[in-house]
């Protein structure tokens, strides 16, 4: 569904991103890993068109630039790390902004809002002012908004999650990643997720790309690329690796 | 926080608006009876003869007070909506329509017209010069703020500040060469007044109000999305660059027309959206029409006060709105500071 080829981002002649090829299939969760400044967020911005880039970003065999604004919004959703919203909307009104690219009736729209707020565990916050919510609660409200915007897609949607677990407590971190996996496996979403916790990548991702200095250093199954050697090479820290009874590797 | 129902708020504002309009017809240097004043307006519209007002009293109602009320309503509603849009566009409740340089530019245009163009054509040359210069200043500020990755809000704000400073110097320069008579006209114009209300200005203001209200309402959902930030709005399918340009040009037209019709009237565009947002929430679908009603009401009351406070003379209404608005602005700032502290 997502095909990226020869994607370059420059800033004052300095190369910020230089990606040869990335391919994501519908139904897969792909982790985007790498040390700070590796180009993870830059990759997201280049995919969405928030920054100027050269090269091809193709979604469902159509170049991103060829998509109409609203149709693209129904197929490409982005959960940013933090939102700039500082006006006192109720949480459910923030989610309702996800209706912008859709043509749903008022009644159907509100039904979807409630359903998705329940799914991201924020329905109990519906009438609360967004500005009074904690960072993690805000992130879940925003996730419901993004899922609403993708709810009427004609083709499998692409969901970009930029550190969706950064403001969450332990339980919520796992329920958000569980949800991402559910969306991929049950509804065919393609999910691209920036993660700092490598164990979460091992646990939830089908594939990972490891970015370093703007380039894809490694690409493949998480257990294959997240070895103590590669981690030491890219993060300058050597973890110990142990295996759980079910064979799942854990990094300590 | 508890919110008022938009429908209830609109009804309350409408009632207050009608009451204030009635008071504005009755009260002034020549007090008139309530019922007959009202009947004389009905007479003028329906061609009936219910009112017992004398001819000269009817002339006061229909030729002085009603046109002034209509202009106050239209200008108040325009300024309040423009303020609402600017606060949404900049995602800052302390933004003001003047932020994009339109008021400063308009002031320079008007000052040049007052001082250097013949007084015989001042009735139209001043508003036209104000409007053209206001729009020109806005486009200049907007042009300066264009970067490779779109409009930079920071540069836009700084360019607005720089242009205002330049406009202040230009006004000082032109004033230095002005005659005493021109200086008085100039300073009064800068304080804003609805005394120059005439059919042309009312038509211009009302048509602008109708067009702006429709144009803004059509963009209300997009404005709501813009509050999430430009990237998030773009991801929701909104053509953010086009939206920003449209909102800035529409606001420049609105404020340009307002300044052309009544001089500089500050604080309505700053204070009204803030009050309405606190009462009914930040959704632009309801915020824009309610701000229009509240702005109309506030300017009508300010104008009534300006006519009654130093009878038989009158205060410039811009002074009254500034006197009412400036303390409110300070209170808002203090509240904002507390939020930052916490």
């Amino acid at each position: 569904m997502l095909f990226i080829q020869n994607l370059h981002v420059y800033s004052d002649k300095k190369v910020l991103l230089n990606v040869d090829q990335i391919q994501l299939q519908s139904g897969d969760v792909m982790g985007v890993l790498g040390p700070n400044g590796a180009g993870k967020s830059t990759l997201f911005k280049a995919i969405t068109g928030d920054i100027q880039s050269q090269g091809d970003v193709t979604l469902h065999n159509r170049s991103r630039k060829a998509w109409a604004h609203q149709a693209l919004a129904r197929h490409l959703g982005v959960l940013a790390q933090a939102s700039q919203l500082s006006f006192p909307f109720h949480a459910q009104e923030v989610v309702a902004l996800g209706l912008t690219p859709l043509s749903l009736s008022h009644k159907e729209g509100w039904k979807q809002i409630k359903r998705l707020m329940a799914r991201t565990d924020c329905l109990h916050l519906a009438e609360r002012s967004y500005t009074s919510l904690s960072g993690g609660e805000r992130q879940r409200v925003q996730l419901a908004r993004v899922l609403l915007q993708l709810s009427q897609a004609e083709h499998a949607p692409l969901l970009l999650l930029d550190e969706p677990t950064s403001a969450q407590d332990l339980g919520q971190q796992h329920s958000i990643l569980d949800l991402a996996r559910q969306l991929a496996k049950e509804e065919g979403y393609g999910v691209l997720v920036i993660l700092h916790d490598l164990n979460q990548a091992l646990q939830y991702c089908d594939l990972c790309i490891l970015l370093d200095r703007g380039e894809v250093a490694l690409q493949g199954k998480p257990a294959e690329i997240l070895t103590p050697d590669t981690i030491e090479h890219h993060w300058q820290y050597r973890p110990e690796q142990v295996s759980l009874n079910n064979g799942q590797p854990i990094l300590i | 926080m508890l919110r008022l129902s938009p429908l209830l708020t609109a009804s309350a504002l409408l009632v207050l608006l009608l009451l204030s309009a009635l008071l504005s017809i009755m009260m002034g240097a020549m007090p008139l009876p309530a019922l007959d004043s009202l009947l004389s307006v009905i007479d003028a519209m329906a061609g009936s003869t219910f009112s017992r007002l004398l001819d000269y009293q009817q002339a006061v109602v229909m030729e002085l007070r009603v046109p002034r009320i209509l202009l106050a309503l239209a200008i108040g509603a325009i300024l309040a909506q423009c303020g609402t849009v600017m606060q949404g566009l900049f995602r800052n409740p302390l933004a003001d329509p003047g932020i994009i340089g339109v008021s400063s530019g308009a002031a320079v245009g008007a000052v040049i017209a007052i001082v250097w163009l013949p007084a015989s054509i001042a009735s139209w040359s001043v508003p036209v010069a104000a409007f053209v210069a206001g729009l020109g200043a806005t486009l200049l500020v907007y042009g300066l703020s264009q970067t490779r990755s779109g409009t930079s809000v920071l540069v836009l704000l700084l360019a607005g500040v720089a242009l205002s400073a330049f406009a202040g110097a230009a006004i000082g320069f032109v004033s230095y060469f002005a005659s005493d008579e021109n200086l008085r006209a100039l300073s009064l114009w800068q304080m804003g007044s609805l005394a120059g209300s005439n059919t042309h200005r009312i038509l211009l203001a009302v048509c602008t109000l109708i067009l702006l209200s429709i144009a803004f309402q059509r963009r209300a959902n997009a404005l709501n999305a813009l509050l999430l930030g430009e990237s998030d709005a773009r991801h929701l399918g909104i053509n953010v660059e086009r939206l920003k340009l449209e909102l800035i040009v529409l606001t420049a037209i609105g404020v340009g027309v307002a300044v052309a019709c009544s001089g500089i009237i500050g604080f309505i565009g700053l204070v009204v959206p803030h009050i309405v947002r606190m009462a009914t929430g930040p959704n632009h679908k309801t915020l824009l029409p309610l701000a229009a009603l509240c702005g109309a009401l506030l300017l009508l009351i300010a104008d009534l006060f300006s006519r009654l406070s130093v009878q038989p003379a009158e205060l410039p209404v811009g002074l009254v709105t500034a006197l009412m608005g400036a303390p409110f602005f300070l209170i808002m700032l203090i509240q904002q500071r507390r939020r930052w502290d916490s």
Side-chain angles (χ1 to χ4, degrees), chain B residues 197-267:
Chain B
S197 174
N198 59 36
T199 318
H200 290 122
R201 288 187 184 180
I202 294 169
L203 263 178
L204 177 65
V206 170
C207 290
T208 307
L209 171 64
I210 293 169
L211 291 175
L212 273 190
S213 302
I214 294 170
F216 283 153
Q217 189 56 225
R218 286 167 63 110
R219 289 162 181 79
N221 276 335
L223 250 175
N224 285 339
L226 201 56
L227 295 183
L228 288 170
E230 290 186 20
S231 295
D232 281 341
R234 202 175 292 118
H235 301 156
L236 279 167
I238 287 160
N239 187 340
V240 172
E241 287 307 315
R242 199 179 73 190
L243 176 69
K244 283 196 290 190
L245 179 61
E246 286 170 353
L247 292 176
I248 286 175
V249 170
L250 286 169
T251 301
I253 291 173
V255 179
V257 165
V259 170
C261 290
S262 57
I264 292 179
I265 298 176
F267 287 100

Side-chain angles (χ1 to χ4, degrees), chain A residues 50 73 84 87-88 93 149, chain B residues 3 91 227 234-235 237 277:
Chain A
D50 281 345
Q84 298 177 8
F87 283 71
E93 292 174 319
Q149 121 188 30
Chain B
R3 283 191 194 167
R91 295 184 291 284
L227 295 183
R234 202 175 292 118
H235 301 156
R277 202 180 291 112

Side-chain angles (χ1 to χ4, degrees), chain A residues 83-87 89 94 130-131 138 142, chain B residues 224 227-229:
Chain A
S83 160
Q84 298 177 8
L85 184 61
S86 58
F87 283 71
F89 278 106
V94 176
Y130 181 82
T131 47
R138 288 181 187 198
Q142 292 288 353
Chain B
N224 285 339
L227 295 183
L228 288 170

Side-chain angles (χ1 to χ4, degrees), chain A residues 11-35:
Chain A
S11 169
D12 297 330
K13 291 186 183 166
K14 196 180 150 209
V15 182
L16 296 183
L17 193 72
N18 177 15
V19 170
D20 288 339
Q21 199 183 79
I22 297 174
Q23 203 168 352
L24 176 70
Q25 302 294 342
S26 156
D28 276 350
V29 178
M30 180 183 269
V32 180
L33 314 172

Side-chain angles (χ1 to χ4, degrees), chain B residues 68 194 300-311 313-318 320:
Chain B
R68 198 165 167 148
L194 295 161
L300 193 56
I301 293 172
D303 188 49
L304 183 61
F305 183 79
S306 81
R307 287 197 292 121
L308 296 179
S309 51
V310 287
Q311 283 186 59
E314 60 178 71
L315 278 175
V317 71
V320 178

Side-chain angles (χ1 to χ4, degrees), chain B residues 261-311:
Chain B
C261 290
S262 57
I264 292 179
I265 298 176
F267 287 100
I268 296 276
L270 175 70
V271 170
V272 169
H274 203 77
I275 299 174
V276 180
R277 202 180 291 112
M278 280 198 300
T280 62
N283 184 347
H284 284 91
K285 277 267 174 207
T286 50
L287 180 58
L288 281 162
L290 289 175
L293 285 175
C294 188
L297 175 67
L298 212 63
L299 190 54
L300 193 56
I301 293 172
D303 188 49
L304 183 61
F305 183 79
S306 81
R307 287 197 292 121
L308 296 179
S309 51
V310 287
Q311 283 186 59

